[in-house]
Amino acid sequence: MKNFSLRSLLKGLMIFLSVGIAAYAFSYFTFKEQNLLASKAKELLTSIFYRTSFYVHAGFGAIALFIGGWQFIKRFRRRYTTLHRNAGKVYVIAVMLSSLAGLIIAFNANGGIIPVIGFISLAILWLITDIQAYQTIRGGDVKGHEQWMIRNYALTFAAVTLRLWIPVLQIFFKLTFLEAYQIVAWLCWIPNLLVAEAIIYSLRKPKLQLAEK
């Protein structure tokens, strides 16, 4: 019962943070040069290609972030099966578009080559896990689909952890924004994937123990 309550609490926190950051991402659609855009060079801000890629990444990323968390609630999946499937299709398309756009804008990440490589890696893995999640469910592999979705949403959730880690690094480690950004380009998603693998292992564990017997 305690484990169930803790899992419910963590899922609730995940959804709360996801919805909050999704709403924050939509604030970019005031089309003002604010937040991250304010730190970009004028050459980028006047590039239609860059700005389009940025807004595609932000908009569809926010949609994926908002939808994804609810998909992990078993009661929702069982009671609203059709809605779950349709929402899943929207999620897969949103991640695909956002990851491709994210790959484009990653080449102009603040802070030099370190965050550039970090965000390129994130975009590629985000796309790969999205495709794997789609292919497994198309092939009827529900368990495999669940595992790939856990990995994929861990990467989607990087939008949240990025914004949690930056103030931690600045306040407690006295780093400048650019110093923190160089670290967070990796820190926002690698621990997430490790947690995802731990969750997947815990879901497999009962079957592994049964097989050993």
Side-chain angles (χ1 to χ4, degrees):
M1 186 66 179
K2 287 183 179 179
N3 290 335
F4 172 78
S5 298
L6 179 60
R7 287 198 302 271
S8 299
L9 180 63
L10 291 175
K11 284 183 181 180
L13 179 61
M14 177 185 73
I15 292 171
F16 174 78
L17 291 172
S18 298
V19 171
I21 296 301
Y24 167 81
F26 281 121
S27 71
Y28 281 109
F29 288 87
T30 58
F31 299 103
K32 295 178 181 178
E33 293 173 9
Q34 58 186 356
N35 303 328
L36 185 63
L37 277 180
S39 67
K40 296 298 181 181
K42 288 184 179 179
E43 292 78 11
L44 281 179
L45 295 177
T46 55
S47 167
I48 295 175
F49 181 67
Y50 177 82
R51 289 186 76 100
T52 301
S53 299
F54 180 86
Y55 287 118
V56 168
H57 174 65
F60 284 103
I63 291 170
L65 190 62
F66 177 80
I67 291 174
W70 301 99
Q71 299 288 79
F72 290 100
I73 300 175
K74 280 187 178 180
R75 189 177 297 177
F76 170 79
R77 296 199 304 267
R78 290 172 180 172
R79 184 175 296 181
Y80 305 105
T81 306
T82 302
L83 180 58
H84 167 67
R85 289 174 180 169
N86 290 334
K89 291 173 185 177
V90 174
Y91 176 89
V92 166
I93 293 170
V95 170
M96 188 172 295
L97 293 172
S98 186
S99 61
L100 290 171
L103 181 60
I104 293 169
I105 66 173
F107 285 93
N108 294 288
N110 294 345
I113 192 65
I114 294 174
V116 166
I117 296 173
F119 287 124
I120 287 174
S121 301
L122 170 57
I124 291 171
L125 288 173
W126 197 24
L127 178 61
I128 289 172
T129 54
D130 187 50
I131 293 170
Q132 289 291 336
Y134 175 74
Q135 289 181 335
T136 47
I137 197 62
R138 288 284 294 174
D141 183 1
V142 176
K143 286 297 179 184
H145 170 71
E146 181 182 30
Q147 291 167 9
W148 281 109
M149 278 302 303
I150 290 171
R151 294 183 181 105
N152 183 264
Y153 195 69
L155 296 173
T156 303
F157 202 71
V160 175
T161 47
L162 180 147
R163 287 161 178 84
L164 295 177
W165 276 116
I166 285 180
V168 169
L169 293 172
Q170 288 183 296
I171 294 169
F172 294 101
F173 294 91
K174 308 300 180 183
L175 300 181
T176 65
F177 175 79
L178 280 181
E179 289 170 339
Y181 202 71
Q182 288 175 328
I183 295 171
V184 88
W186 299 88
L187 192 61
C188 70
W189 61 271
I190 291 178
N192 293 18
L193 268 187
L194 294 175
V195 171
E197 291 302 327
I199 292 170
I200 291 168
Y201 177 77
S202 71
L203 293 173
R204 287 175 177 168
K205 197 172 180 181
K207 288 188 176 181
L208 293 174
Q209 290 175 341
L210 189 61
E212 289 173 359
K213 291 180 182 179

